[in-house]
Coordinates of all heavy atoms in Angstrom, one line a residue:
T1 N 109.5 109.2 97.7 CA 109.1 109.2 96.3 C 107.6 109.2 96.2 O 106.9 108.4 97.0 CB 109.8 108.0 95.6 OG1 111.2 108.2 95.7 CG2 109.3 108.0 94.1
V2 N 107.1 109.9 95.2 CA 105.7 109.8 94.9 C 105.6 109.3 93.4 O 106.5 109.6 92.6 CB 105.0 111.1 95.0 CG1 105.6 112.2 94.1 CG2 103.5 111.0 94.7
Y3 N 104.6 108.5 93.1 CA 104.5 107.9 91.8 C 103.1 108.3 91.2 O 102.2 108.5 92.0 CB 104.5 106.3 91.9 CG 105.8 105.8 92.5 CD1 105.8 105.5 93.9 CD2 106.9 105.6 91.7 CE1 107.0 104.9 94.4 CE2 108.1 105.1 92.3 CZ 108.1 104.8 93.7 OH 109.2 104.3 94.2
L4 N 103.1 108.3 89.9 CA 101.8 108.4 89.2 C 101.7 107.4 88.1 O 102.4 107.5 87.1 CB 101.6 109.8 88.6 CG 100.3 110.1 88.0 CD1 99.2 110.2 89.1 CD2 100.3 111.4 87.2
Q5 N 100.9 106.4 88.4 CA 100.7 105.4 87.3 C 99.5 105.8 86.4 O 98.4 106.1 86.9 CB 100.3 104.0 88.0 CG 100.0 102.9 87.0 CD 101.2 102.5 86.2 OE1 102.3 102.3 86.8 NE2 101.0 102.4 84.9
M6 N 99.8 105.9 85.2 CA 98.9 106.5 84.2 C 98.5 105.4 83.2 O 99.4 104.9 82.5 CB 99.4 107.7 83.5 CG 99.9 108.8 84.4 SD 100.4 110.3 83.6 CE 101.9 109.7 82.8
N7 N 97.3 105.0 83.2 CA 96.8 104.0 82.2 C 95.8 104.6 81.3 O 95.2 105.6 81.6 CB 96.2 102.8 83.0 CG 97.2 102.1 83.9 OD1 98.4 102.0 83.6 ND2 96.7 101.6 85.0
S8 N 95.5 103.9 80.2 CA 94.5 104.3 79.2 C 94.7 105.7 78.8 O 93.8 106.5 78.8 CB 93.1 104.1 79.8 OG 92.9 102.7 80.1
L9 N 95.9 106.1 78.5 CA 96.3 107.5 78.2 C 95.6 108.0 77.0 O 95.4 107.2 76.0 CB 97.8 107.6 78.1 CG 98.5 107.6 79.4 CD1 100.0 107.3 79.2 CD2 98.4 109.0 80.1
K10 N 95.2 109.3 77.0 CA 94.5 109.9 75.9 C 95.4 111.1 75.4 O 96.2 111.6 76.2 CB 93.2 110.4 76.4 CG 92.3 109.4 77.0 CD 91.0 110.0 77.6 CE 90.1 109.0 78.2 NZ 88.9 109.6 78.8
P11 N 95.2 111.5 74.2 CA 95.9 112.7 73.7 C 95.8 113.9 74.6 O 96.7 114.7 74.7 CB 95.3 112.9 72.3 CG 94.9 111.6 71.9 CD 94.4 110.9 73.1
E12 N 94.6 114.1 75.2 CA 94.4 115.3 76.1 C 95.2 115.2 77.4 O 95.2 116.1 78.2 CB 93.0 115.5 76.4 CG 92.2 114.3 76.9 CD 91.5 113.5 75.8 OE1 92.1 113.3 74.7 OE2 90.3 113.1 76.0
D13 N 95.9 114.0 77.6 CA 96.8 113.9 78.8 C 98.1 114.5 78.5 O 99.0 114.6 79.4 CB 96.9 112.5 79.2 CG 95.6 111.9 79.7 OD1 94.9 112.5 80.5 OD2 95.3 110.7 79.4
T14 N 98.4 114.9 77.3 CA 99.7 115.4 76.9 C 99.9 116.7 77.6 O 99.1 117.7 77.6 CB 99.7 115.7 75.4 OG1 99.7 114.4 74.7 CG2 101.0 116.4 75.0
A15 N 101.1 116.8 78.3 CA 101.4 118.0 79.2 C 102.8 117.8 79.8 O 103.3 116.7 79.7 CB 100.3 118.1 80.3
V16 N 103.3 118.8 80.4 CA 104.4 118.7 81.3 C 103.8 118.4 82.7 O 103.0 119.1 83.2 CB 105.3 120.0 81.3 CG1 106.4 119.8 82.3 CG2 105.8 120.3 79.9
Y17 N 104.3 117.3 83.3 CA 103.9 116.9 84.6 C 104.9 117.3 85.6 O 106.1 117.0 85.5 CB 103.6 115.4 84.6 CG 102.4 115.0 83.9 CD1 102.2 115.0 82.5 CD2 101.3 114.5 84.6 CE1 101.1 114.7 81.9 CE2 100.1 114.2 84.0 CZ 100.0 114.2 82.6 OH 98.8 113.9 82.0
Y18 N 104.4 117.9 86.7 CA 105.2 118.4 87.8 C 104.8 117.7 89.1 O 103.6 117.5 89.3 CB 105.1 119.9 87.9 CG 105.5 120.7 86.8 CD1 104.5 121.1 85.8 CD2 106.8 121.2 86.6 CE1 104.9 121.9 84.7 CE2 107.1 122.0 85.5 CZ 106.2 122.3 84.6 OH 106.5 123.1 83.5
C19 N 105.8 117.5 89.9 CA 105.4 117.1 91.3 C 105.7 118.2 92.2 O 106.6 119.1 92.0 CB 106.1 115.8 91.7 SG 107.9 116.0 91.9
S20 N 105.0 118.2 93.3 CA 105.3 119.1 94.4 C 105.1 118.4 95.7 O 104.3 117.4 95.8 CB 104.4 120.4 94.4 OG 103.1 120.1 94.7
M21 N 105.8 118.8 96.8 CA 105.7 118.2 98.1 C 105.7 119.3 99.2 O 106.5 120.2 99.1 CB 106.8 117.2 98.3 CG 106.9 116.1 97.3 SD 108.2 114.9 97.8 CE 108.1 113.8 96.4
G22 N 104.9 119.1 100.2 CA 104.9 119.9 101.4 C 105.9 119.2 102.3 O 105.6 118.1 102.8
V23 N 107.0 119.9 102.5 CA 108.1 119.3 103.3 C 108.1 119.9 104.7 O 108.1 121.1 104.9 CB 109.5 119.6 102.7 CG1 110.6 119.0 103.6 CG2 109.5 118.9 101.3
V24 N 108.1 119.1 105.7 CA 108.0 119.5 107.1 C 109.3 119.5 107.8 O 110.1 118.5 107.7 CB 107.0 118.6 107.9 CG1 106.9 119.0 109.4 CG2 105.7 118.5 107.2
I25 N 109.7 120.6 108.4 CA 110.9 120.7 109.2 C 110.5 121.3 110.6 O 109.5 121.9 110.8 CB 111.9 121.6 108.6 CG1 111.4 123.0 108.3 CG2 112.4 120.9 107.2 CD1 112.5 123.9 107.8
G26 N 111.4 121.1 111.6 CA 111.2 121.5 112.9 C 111.0 120.4 113.9 O 111.2 119.2 113.5
P27 N 110.7 120.7 115.2 CA 110.0 121.9 115.7 C 110.9 123.1 115.9 O 112.2 122.9 116.0 CB 109.5 121.4 117.1 CG 110.4 120.3 117.5 CD 110.9 119.6 116.2
P28 N 110.3 124.2 115.9 CA 108.9 124.5 115.6 C 108.6 124.1 114.1 O 109.4 124.3 113.2 CB 108.8 126.1 115.8 CG 110.2 126.6 115.6 CD 111.1 125.5 116.1
V29 N 107.4 123.6 114.0 CA 107.0 123.0 112.7 C 106.8 124.1 111.6 O 106.1 125.1 111.9 CB 105.8 122.2 112.8 CG1 105.3 121.8 111.4 CG2 106.0 121.0 113.7
T30 N 107.5 123.9 110.5 CA 107.2 124.7 109.3 C 107.1 123.8 108.2 O 107.6 122.7 108.1 CB 108.4 125.7 109.1 OG1 109.6 125.0 108.8 CG2 108.6 126.7 110.2
V31 N 106.2 124.2 107.2 CA 106.0 123.4 106.0 C 106.3 124.3 104.8 O 105.7 125.4 104.7 CB 104.6 122.9 105.9 CG1 104.4 122.1 104.7 CG2 104.2 122.1 107.2
N32 N 107.2 123.8 104.0 CA 107.6 124.5 102.8 C 107.3 123.7 101.6 O 107.6 122.5 101.5 CB 109.1 124.9 102.8 CG 109.4 125.9 103.9 OD1 108.9 127.0 103.8 ND2 110.2 125.5 104.8
N33 N 106.7 124.3 100.5 CA 106.4 123.6 99.3 C 107.5 123.7 98.3 O 108.0 124.7 98.0 CB 105.1 124.2 98.7 CG 104.4 123.2 97.8 OD1 104.2 122.0 98.1 ND2 104.1 123.7 96.6
Y34 N 107.8 122.5 97.7 CA 108.9 122.4 96.7 C 108.3 121.8 95.5 O 107.4 121.0 95.5 CB 110.1 121.6 97.3 CG 110.8 122.3 98.4 CD1 110.4 122.1 99.7 CD2 111.9 123.1 98.1 CE1 111.1 122.7 100.7 CE2 112.6 123.7 99.2 CZ 112.2 123.5 100.5 OH 112.9 124.1 101.5
W35 N 108.9 122.2 94.4 CA 108.5 121.8 93.0 C 109.7 121.1 92.3 O 110.8 121.6 92.4 CB 108.0 122.9 92.2 CG 106.7 123.5 92.7 CD1 106.4 124.2 93.8 CD2 105.4 123.3 92.0 NE1 105.1 124.5 93.9 CE2 104.4 124.0 92.8 CE3 105.0 122.7 90.8 CZ2 103.1 124.0 92.4 CZ3 103.7 122.7 90.5 CH2 102.7 123.4 91.3
G36 N 109.3 120.2 91.5 CA 110.3 119.6 90.5 C 110.4 120.4 89.2 O 109.6 121.3 89.0
Q37 N 111.2 120.0 88.4 CA 111.4 120.7 87.1 C 110.4 120.3 86.0 O 110.2 121.0 85.0 CB 112.9 120.4 86.6 CG 114.0 120.9 87.5 CD 114.3 122.4 87.3 OE1 113.6 123.1 86.6 NE2 115.3 122.8 87.9
G38 N 109.8 119.2 86.2 CA 108.8 118.7 85.2 C 109.3 117.6 84.3 O 110.5 117.5 84.0
T39 N 108.4 116.8 83.8 CA 108.7 115.8 82.8 C 107.6 115.8 81.8 O 106.4 115.8 82.1 CB 108.9 114.4 83.5 OG1 109.3 113.4 82.5 CG2 107.6 113.9 84.2
Q40 N 108.0 115.7 80.5 CA 107.1 115.8 79.4 C 106.4 114.4 79.2 O 107.1 113.4 79.1 CB 107.8 116.2 78.1 CG 106.9 116.2 76.9 CD 105.9 117.3 76.9 OE1 104.7 117.1 76.7 NE2 106.4 118.5 77.1
V41 N 105.1 114.4 79.1 CA 104.3 113.3 78.7 C 103.6 113.6 77.4 O 102.8 114.6 77.3 CB 103.3 112.9 79.7 CG1 102.3 111.8 79.2 CG2 104.0 112.4 81.0
T42 N 103.8 112.9 76.3 CA 103.2 113.1 75.0 C 102.4 111.8 74.6 O 103.0 110.7 74.6 CB 104.2 113.4 74.0 OG1 104.9 114.6 74.4 CG2 103.5 113.7 72.6
V43 N 101.1 112.0 74.4 CA 100.3 110.8 74.0 C 99.8 111.1 72.6 O 99.0 112.0 72.3 CB 99.1 110.7 74.9 CG1 98.3 109.4 74.5 CG2 99.5 110.6 76.4
S44 N 100.3 110.3 71.6 CA 100.0 110.6 70.2 C 100.2 109.3 69.4 O 101.0 108.4 69.8 CB 101.0 111.6 69.7 OG 100.8 111.8 68.3

């Protein structure tokens, strides 16, 4: 798991936030990047 603690939020932080991870498999080593679906953050 990766976390993002967001403090002192501003309206300009409003966005869909996505995570991605470089996932390692092997050997032979390969790295594939994966993305989440996103989560909405609204500061208002």
Side-chain angles (χ1 to χ4, degrees):
T1 300
V2 61
Y3 304 95
L4 186 68
Q5 178 66 47
M6 304 184 293
N7 299 324
S8 302
L9 283 161
K10 304 175 180 179
E12 52 263 44
D13 295 317
T14 296
V16 178
Y17 284 70
Y18 301 89
C19 67
S20 71
M21 300 185 187
V23 177
V24 181
I25 60 174
V29 172
T30 61
V31 181
N32 294 297
N33 200 51
Y34 292 87
W35 289 73
Q37 299 278 8
T39 185
Q40 176 71 232
V41 172
T42 302
V43 184
S44 177

